[in-house]
Amino acid sequence: MPPRASRPTVRERAPRTLRLRALPFVVCLLAGAGCADRGNGTAAAPDTGSVAASSSAATSASASGAAIGVPRTAKPGEWTMPGGDYANSRFSDLEDITPANAKGLQVAWAFSTGVLRGHEGQPLVIDNTMYLVTPYPNVGYALDLKEAGQPLKWRFRPENAQAAAGRACCDVVNRGAAYFEGLMIYNLLDGHTVAVNALTGQQVWKTRMGDVSLGETITMAPIIVKGKVMVGSSGGEMGVRGWMGALDAKTGKVLWRAYNVGPDADMLIDSSFHPFYAHDKGANLGVSSWPGESWKQGGGVAWGWVSYDPALNLVYYGTSNPGPWNEKMRAGDNKWTCAILARDADTGKLRWVLQVTPHDMWDYDAVNENILVDLTVKGVARKALVHFDRNGFAYTVDRATGEVLLAEPFVHVNWAKGIDLTTGRPIVNPAKTTEGERQVKNICPSLEGGKNQQPAAFSPVTGLFYVPTVNLCMDFKARPVSYIPGTPYIGADAPEAQGPGGFGGEFIAWDASTGTKAWGIKEPFPIWSGVLVTKGGVAFYGTLDGWFKAVDAKTGTPLWKFKVGSGVVGNPISYRGPDGKQYVAVYAGIGGDMGLLIAGDVAANLPYDVRERGTTLPGLAKWTSWGGELFVFAIP
């Protein structure tokens, strides 16, 4: 075990109220500047974090027979989809970089995106070309990897309404592009989806999917399924009604749109809908589980990640919190918010649904990725879906039926006592409910979740999942709120503070066959980057204080780290360059919900601020500033 951190530790401080009013959502989207100095690539130093391994080593998981659940079709060495494949595994078949040589990683090249703010998402690499998308204004780039210096093939600056930057919740992020038959396709913050000729950078089509005047924006990364572009909405905090849609990838024509709450006809529910649990069966539950017509402002947007199983022809995604946060205003289960949905890719018809947090009163969106794997659970081979939910529980689900096979906490949880496998519903702790607009202290996890949208990865080599987690708890007090189109529809105050144990986040390895943690690396701040794991046996992740790290995927032993200058909230990828080398790429640019709204004064030029900044992550501004750069690493 490496020694404890040598730099000053982050001290716990008493939380102060984070007031969620309408104005902060506009203020939080003002541009800022600043970039911390870079360090040199080094073998992992003592402050990499502490590793705690359980008695169940990764070697036992490698014998489990777990495998990526969807056959991979991309050329070896390319990264053609946001999650690497339809299963969202974020696994690379490349194996040149290993635990034995990872200490030799160095910066191969870098590229400034020209935009600050939260750089979530990941690049794509197809045919020796790298494609990037920035946060708002969502500039697209194509870089030629075959030429020294990686010159631009083209730069695309879309028309993108400035109003979107003032309407969007939680920063102006973009989670990446998709690729289809010579088209780079991605979403714009103002509610449009756009296709760009991948050779020339010329716009091919543009389709309006959301109404920004209502607070409806789009931040998610689309995927392409059988020539259809799967697109979901953002804006649950604005009282919009969520949907998932499919567009023709060649023309941009809308082929279907399915709402996530409301009448069965709107949700594309018919006799082919077969939820696993009895309490989810019945007509028009997306209306009857809401009082009056409150479902019309019910949230349930789909701003996270989409997976696809070609054998079942199902697309999977999660939905966000119900609106408003004040649960008193929306009695009932509030179906189908905070749920995992499975839809027919051709028609959009809903096949099954699992509501992981019925009547959510803690802002536990279920938009986190669903990783499709084949594994053995309780002695039975299963086609599974693994989901690390914001509510703190890791779900292993039968992806054909929606049955919960396992559900165990992967972080500290006290809002529920467990998950009832006979119903799939949480066993709620009455002491942590927010009923009656009373103040409730120390709810764990906080509204940021045990994990937020930052995606986990799965290795079929080790049979383990690699999960970036958050260790925050919150006090919560609901308050009255009225719906005004295009403004925050929240109704709560929710100050946050570090959870138990003296750390802000933990990078863990998880066995979804047994619902147990194999090992973990504690970090001083929440981990808000995604994860990459490789066939070479190395897992990569980044930190809010600006470190990009490599660890041994079997043991969790730290191998290497590099200071990239700004906090990492993006998702690393790996590709093979035209020179035959394996490269690893990641964005640096702090932002997103964690990096902008509550991280403190990480921006140098905010003209004013009405929020009490820095109460959740005191000290983070000492280590990082806003930025916007792509870093690419290799072994010389």
Side-chain angles (χ1 to χ4, degrees):
M1 182 179 296
R4 297 291 295 176
S6 58
R7 76 182 187 194
T9 58
V10 178
R11 297 179 181 176
E12 287 189 294
R13 297 181 183 175
R16 294 183 352 212
T17 301
L18 173 65
R19 303 255 176 216
L20 298 171
R21 304 187 181 102
L23 184 57
F25 277 79
V26 179
V27 174
C28 80
L29 297 156
L30 297 171
C35 185
D37 292 334
R38 303 186 189 112
N40 294 319
T42 62
D47 63 350
T48 299
S50 57
V51 181
S54 73
S55 58
S56 58
T59 52
S60 63
S62 64
S64 68
I68 296 172
V70 179
R72 313 190 87 186
T73 58
K75 295 179 182 178
E78 294 192 335
W79 197 275
T80 62
M81 300 183 193
D85 49 37
Y86 279 133
N88 265 321
S89 73
R90 298 190 180 266
F91 174 78
S92 170
D93 289 313
L94 301 180
E95 52 186 332
D96 302 357
I97 301 170
T98 68
N101 64 19
K103 63 183 178 182
L105 283 164
Q106 296 181 15
V107 175
W109 57 277
F111 175 77
S112 174
T113 68
V115 179
L116 301 177
R117 312 300 289 269
H119 280 62
E120 294 183 354
Q122 58 289 305
L124 301 179
V125 176
I126 298 102
D127 193 23
N128 290 316
T129 302
M130 179 178 284
Y131 300 94
L132 296 82
V133 181
T134 75
Y136 180 87
N138 304 140
V139 181
Y141 292 103
L143 306 180
D144 190 344
L145 302 180
K146 291 183 292 186
E147 288 196 37
Q150 298 76 39
L152 278 177
K153 285 188 171 183
W154 49 257
R155 177 192 292 109
F156 173 67
R157 296 185 182 276
E159 293 184 8
N160 199 350
Q162 177 67 40
R167 302 281 187 183
C169 164
C170 320
D171 205 4
V172 292
V173 299
N174 183 286
R175 297 187 180 87
Y179 181 87
F180 177 77
E181 295 184 0
L183 297 176
M184 176 188 177
I185 301 173
Y186 65 97
N187 296 310
L188 306 182
L189 190 67
D190 71 356
H192 289 84
T193 302
V194 64
V196 181
N197 185 301
L199 293 178
T200 67
Q202 298 299 307
Q203 181 175 299
V204 176
W205 56 257
K206 182 179 181 182
T207 302
R208 180 186 176 187
M209 294 297 289
D211 185 349
V212 73
S213 69
L214 299 178
E216 201 170 34
T217 55
I218 306 180
T219 59
M220 58 88 74
I223 68 167
I224 316 298
V225 173
K226 300 169 71 175
K228 300 177 180 65
V229 186
M230 301 295 164
V231 175
S233 57
S234 304
E237 270 66 46
M238 303 294 177
V240 303
R241 182 162 66 120
W243 47 262
M244 177 62 66
L247 296 80
D248 185 287
K250 294 184 178 180
T251 67
K253 178 183 177 181
V254 178
L255 301 176
W256 55 259
R257 186 193 298 254
Y259 285 91
N260 301 322
V261 297
D264 285 355
D266 290 1
M267 292 192 60
L268 303 187
I269 291 177
D270 62 13
S271 59
S272 63
F273 178 52
H274 297 293
F276 186 82
Y277 298 102
H279 56 79
D280 291 332
K281 299 176 180 179
N284 293 307
L285 296 181
V287 172
S288 62
S289 61
W290 297 80
E293 295 188 335
S294 60
W295 55 269
K296 292 182 177 180
Q297 292 84 43
V301 296
W303 56 267
W305 306 96
V306 183
S307 308
Y308 173 60
D309 185 335
L312 297 171
N313 198 35
L314 294 178
V315 291
Y316 306 90
Y317 64 95
T319 58
S320 79
N321 59 285
W325 292 6
N326 186 338
E327 61 82 33
K328 183 179 180 181
M329 301 176 63
R330 46 173 176 79
D333 273 357
N334 311 135
K335 301 180 184 297
W336 298 98
T337 61
C338 294
I340 301 168
L341 283 72
R343 292 190 180 276
D344 182 278
D346 295 327
T347 64
K349 291 182 179 180
L350 191 64
R351 297 306 191 209
W352 61 257
V353 65
L354 170 66
Q355 191 176 33
V356 291
T357 311
H359 188 63
D360 168 50
M361 57 182 76
W362 307 274
D363 189 34
Y364 289 156
D365 301 36
V367 301
N368 294 357
E369 72 288 346
N370 299 293
I371 304 176
L372 310 185
V373 295
D374 297 338
L375 47 73
T376 299
V377 182
K378 300 175 183 177
V380 179
R382 293 282 194 163
K383 293 187 176 297
L385 172 158
V386 176
H387 174 86
F388 297 90
D389 196 73
R390 202 147 132 180
N391 69 16
F393 288 92
Y395 292 80
T396 303
V397 178
D398 186 307
R399 67 176 183 267
T401 66
E403 177 189 7
V404 179
L405 308 175
L406 282 174
E408 297 291 338
F410 64 96
V411 294
H412 176 64
V413 172
N414 66 16
W415 71 274
K417 301 176 182 179
I419 304 298
D420 184 346
L421 296 185
T422 63
T423 64
R425 296 171 72 95
I427 305 167
V428 175
N429 178 0
K432 301 302 179 182
T433 62
T434 64
E435 298 166 343
E437 298 176 6
R438 64 191 180 98
Q439 186 173 46
V440 184
K441 297 282 190 178
N442 192 41
I443 301 170
C444 307
S446 78
L447 58 89
E448 305 300 339
K451 189 182 83 63
N452 208 280
Q453 60 77 34
Q454 61 274 31
F458 167 72
S459 170
V461 177
T462 64
L464 297 174
F465 294 78
Y466 300 88
V467 191
T469 75
V470 176
N471 183 37
L472 294 175
C473 300
M474 66 180 173
D475 298 340
F476 194 102
K477 188 179 191 306
R479 54 180 172 79
V481 65
S482 297
Y483 174 69
I484 302 173
T487 65
Y489 186 52
I490 297 176
D493 295 328
E496 301 174 273
Q498 192 177 91
F503 61 97
E506 187 176 16
F507 183 63
I508 68 171
W510 184 265
D511 185 339
S513 295
T514 60
T516 56
K517 183 174 77 171
W519 51 257
I521 303 172
K522 292 179 170 58
E523 294 285 352
F525 300 106
I527 303 173
W528 214 259
S529 86
V531 181
L532 167 73
V533 64
T534 71
K535 188 176 181 180
V538 181
F540 295 88
Y541 70 101
T543 67
L544 284 177
D545 49 345
W547 291 98
F548 186 52
K549 301 186 177 185
V551 304
D552 188 307
K554 288 185 178 180
T555 66
T557 302
L559 303 171
W560 168 90
K561 65 176 184 175
F562 181 86
K563 182 75 168 179
V564 293
S566 183
V568 181
V569 297
N571 312 315
I573 69 162
S574 188
Y575 69 93
R576 190 172 298 286
D579 58 359
K581 289 184 180 180
Q582 179 183 358
Y583 291 85
V584 176
V586 70
Y587 292 128
I590 196 168
D593 185 43
M594 180 63 65
L596 178 68
L597 290 182
I598 64 175
D601 186 19
V602 298
N605 69 339
L606 283 178
Y608 62 93
D609 193 346
V610 300
R611 291 177 295 114
E612 297 179 85
R613 297 178 70 86
T615 60
T616 301
L617 302 181
L620 180 58
K622 180 179 179 180
W623 301 103
T624 190
S625 296
W626 282 2
E629 192 155 0
L630 172 80
F631 283 87
V632 181
F633 302 90
I635 296 174

PDB file of all heavy atoms in Angstrom, residues 283-296:
ATOM      1  N   ALA A 283     -52.629   0.451 -17.077  1.00  0.00           N
ATOM      2  CA  ALA A 283     -52.767   1.440 -18.146  1.00  0.00           C
ATOM      3  C   ALA A 283     -52.483   2.847 -17.635  1.00  0.00           C
ATOM      4  O   ALA A 283     -52.898   3.213 -16.525  1.00  0.00           O
ATOM      5  CB  ALA A 283     -54.173   1.375 -18.747  1.00  0.00           C
ATOM      6  N   ASN A 284     -51.779   3.612 -18.443  1.00  0.00           N
ATOM      7  CA  ASN A 284     -51.556   5.041 -18.209  1.00  0.00           C
ATOM      8  C   ASN A 284     -50.984   5.350 -16.819  1.00  0.00           C
ATOM      9  O   ASN A 284     -51.361   6.343 -16.186  1.00  0.00           O
ATOM     10  CB  ASN A 284     -52.856   5.824 -18.428  1.00  0.00           C
ATOM     11  CG  ASN A 284     -53.284   5.805 -19.879  1.00  0.00           C
ATOM     12  OD1 ASN A 284     -52.506   6.146 -20.763  1.00  0.00           O
ATOM     13  ND2 ASN A 284     -54.520   5.392 -20.122  1.00  0.00           N
ATOM     14  N   LEU A 285     -50.047   4.518 -16.373  1.00  0.00           N
ATOM     15  CA  LEU A 285     -49.421   4.768 -15.073  1.00  0.00           C
ATOM     16  C   LEU A 285     -48.578   6.033 -15.085  1.00  0.00           C
ATOM     17  O   LEU A 285     -48.329   6.626 -14.035  1.00  0.00           O
ATOM     18  CB  LEU A 285     -48.559   3.568 -14.673  1.00  0.00           C
ATOM     19  CG  LEU A 285     -49.302   2.245 -14.431  1.00  0.00           C
ATOM     20  CD1 LEU A 285     -48.316   1.155 -14.023  1.00  0.00           C
ATOM     21  CD2 LEU A 285     -50.389   2.414 -13.380  1.00  0.00           C
ATOM     22  N   GLY A 286     -48.146   6.455 -16.265  1.00  0.00           N
ATOM     23  CA  GLY A 286     -47.402   7.698 -16.368  1.00  0.00           C
ATOM     24  C   GLY A 286     -48.234   8.931 -16.118  1.00  0.00           C
ATOM     25  O   GLY A 286     -47.698  10.039 -16.054  1.00  0.00           O
ATOM     26  N   VAL A 287     -49.542   8.741 -15.944  1.00  0.00           N
ATOM     27  CA  VAL A 287     -50.463   9.825 -15.573  1.00  0.00           C
ATOM     28  C   VAL A 287     -51.024   9.598 -14.184  1.00  0.00           C
ATOM     29  O   VAL A 287     -51.005  10.489 -13.326  1.00  0.00           O
ATOM     30  CB  VAL A 287     -51.615   9.939 -16.593  1.00  0.00           C
ATOM     31  CG1 VAL A 287     -52.674  10.924 -16.105  1.00  0.00           C
ATOM     32  CG2 VAL A 287     -51.093  10.362 -17.949  1.00  0.00           C
ATOM     33  N   SER A 288     -51.527   8.386 -13.929  1.00  0.00           N
ATOM     34  CA  SER A 288     -52.219   8.111 -12.663  1.00  0.00           C
ATOM     35  C   SER A 288     -51.294   8.131 -11.461  1.00  0.00           C
ATOM     36  O   SER A 288     -51.754   8.267 -10.322  1.00  0.00           O
ATOM     37  CB  SER A 288     -52.937   6.758 -12.737  1.00  0.00           C
ATOM     38  OG  SER A 288     -52.011   5.699 -12.936  1.00  0.00           O
ATOM     39  N   SER A 289     -49.996   7.995 -11.671  1.00  0.00           N
ATOM     40  CA  SER A 289     -49.046   8.036 -10.553  1.00  0.00           C
ATOM     41  C   SER A 289     -48.602   9.465 -10.243  1.00  0.00           C
ATOM     42  O   SER A 289     -47.660   9.670  -9.480  1.00  0.00           O
ATOM     43  CB  SER A 289     -47.833   7.158 -10.862  1.00  0.00           C
ATOM     44  OG  SER A 289     -47.159   7.623 -12.014  1.00  0.00           O
ATOM     45  N   TRP A 290     -49.275  10.436 -10.835  1.00  0.00           N
ATOM     46  CA  TRP A 290     -49.039  11.860 -10.599  1.00  0.00           C
ATOM     47  C   TRP A 290     -50.348  12.522 -10.202  1.00  0.00           C
ATOM     48  O   TRP A 290     -51.414  12.151 -10.698  1.00  0.00           O
ATOM     49  CB  TRP A 290     -48.526  12.538 -11.868  1.00  0.00           C
ATOM     50  CG  TRP A 290     -47.215  12.062 -12.374  1.00  0.00           C
ATOM     51  CD1 TRP A 290     -46.975  10.927 -13.103  1.00  0.00           C
ATOM     52  CD2 TRP A 290     -45.953  12.719 -12.215  1.00  0.00           C
ATOM     53  NE1 TRP A 290     -45.642  10.829 -13.403  1.00  0.00           N
ATOM     54  CE2 TRP A 290     -44.991  11.920 -12.880  1.00  0.00           C
ATOM     55  CE3 TRP A 290     -45.544  13.890 -11.598  1.00  0.00           C
ATOM     56  CZ2 TRP A 290     -43.641  12.260 -12.922  1.00  0.00           C
ATOM     57  CZ3 TRP A 290     -44.199  14.240 -11.659  1.00  0.00           C
ATOM     58  CH2 TRP A 290     -43.270  13.433 -12.300  1.00  0.00           C
ATOM     59  N   PRO A 291     -50.323  13.531  -9.347  1.00  0.00           N
ATOM     60  CA  PRO A 291     -51.552  14.259  -9.036  1.00  0.00           C
ATOM     61  C   PRO A 291     -51.928  15.209 -10.170  1.00  0.00           C
ATOM     62  O   PRO A 291     -51.067  15.933 -10.708  1.00  0.00           O
ATOM     63  CB  PRO A 291     -51.192  15.043  -7.766  1.00  0.00           C
ATOM     64  CG  PRO A 291     -49.714  15.200  -7.814  1.00  0.00           C
ATOM     65  CD  PRO A 291     -49.184  13.986  -8.513  1.00  0.00           C
ATOM     66  N   GLY A 292     -53.196  15.178 -10.556  1.00  0.00           N
ATOM     67  CA  GLY A 292     -53.678  16.097 -11.571  1.00  0.00           C
ATOM     68  C   GLY A 292     -52.891  15.996 -12.866  1.00  0.00           C
ATOM     69  O   GLY A 292     -52.609  14.912 -13.375  1.00  0.00           O
ATOM     70  N   GLU A 293     -52.497  17.155 -13.381  1.00  0.00           N
ATOM     71  CA  GLU A 293     -51.711  17.204 -14.613  1.00  0.00           C
ATOM     72  C   GLU A 293     -50.249  17.565 -14.347  1.00  0.00           C
ATOM     73  O   GLU A 293     -49.547  18.071 -15.227  1.00  0.00           O
ATOM     74  CB  GLU A 293     -52.331  18.205 -15.590  1.00  0.00           C
ATOM     75  CG  GLU A 293     -53.714  17.796 -16.076  1.00  0.00           C
ATOM     76  CD  GLU A 293     -54.223  18.697 -17.185  1.00  0.00           C
ATOM     77  OE1 GLU A 293     -53.772  19.868 -17.251  1.00  0.00           O
ATOM     78  OE2 GLU A 293     -55.047  18.230 -17.986  1.00  0.00           O
ATOM     79  N   SER A 294     -49.782  17.258 -13.141  1.00  0.00           N
ATOM     80  CA  SER A 294     -48.403  17.609 -12.788  1.00  0.00           C
ATOM     81  C   SER A 294     -47.388  16.864 -13.637  1.00  0.00           C
ATOM     82  O   SER A 294     -46.236  17.291 -13.744  1.00  0.00           O
ATOM     83  CB  SER A 294     -48.155  17.341 -11.303  1.00  0.00           C
ATOM     84  OG  SER A 294     -48.361  15.977 -10.988  1.00  0.00           O
ATOM     85  N   TRP A 295     -47.799  15.744 -14.265  1.00  0.00           N
ATOM     86  CA  TRP A 295     -46.877  15.007 -15.126  1.00  0.00           C
ATOM     87  C   TRP A 295     -46.398  15.851 -16.299  1.00  0.00           C
ATOM     88  O   TRP A 295     -45.345  15.578 -16.884  1.00  0.00           O
ATOM     89  CB  TRP A 295     -47.542  13.723 -15.639  1.00  0.00           C
ATOM     90  CG  TRP A 295     -48.856  13.939 -16.351  1.00  0.00           C
ATOM     91  CD1 TRP A 295     -50.097  13.938 -15.776  1.00  0.00           C
ATOM     92  CD2 TRP A 295     -49.047  14.194 -17.744  1.00  0.00           C
ATOM     93  NE1 TRP A 295     -51.065  14.163 -16.734  1.00  0.00           N
ATOM     94  CE2 TRP A 295     -50.448  14.335 -17.941  1.00  0.00           C
ATOM     95  CE3 TRP A 295     -48.209  14.326 -18.838  1.00  0.00           C
ATOM     96  CZ2 TRP A 295     -51.002  14.593 -19.193  1.00  0.00           C
ATOM     97  CZ3 TRP A 295     -48.752  14.587 -20.086  1.00  0.00           C
ATOM     98  CH2 TRP A 295     -50.132  14.721 -20.258  1.00  0.00           C
ATOM     99  N   LYS A 296     -47.138  16.873 -16.665  1.00  0.00           N
ATOM    100  CA  LYS A 296     -46.753  17.706 -17.800  1.00  0.00           C
ATOM    101  C   LYS A 296     -45.484  18.500 -17.521  1.00  0.00           C
ATOM    102  O   LYS A 296     -44.808  18.940 -18.460  1.00  0.00           O
ATOM    103  CB  LYS A 296     -47.893  18.649 -18.171  1.00  0.00           C
ATOM    104  CG  LYS A 296     -49.115  17.935 -18.738  1.00  0.00           C
ATOM    105  CD  LYS A 296     -50.195  18.915 -19.146  1.00  0.00           C
ATOM    106  CE  LYS A 296     -51.374  18.195 -19.786  1.00  0.00           C
ATOM    107  NZ  LYS A 296     -52.440  19.138 -20.204  1.00  0.00           N
TER     108      LYS A 296
END
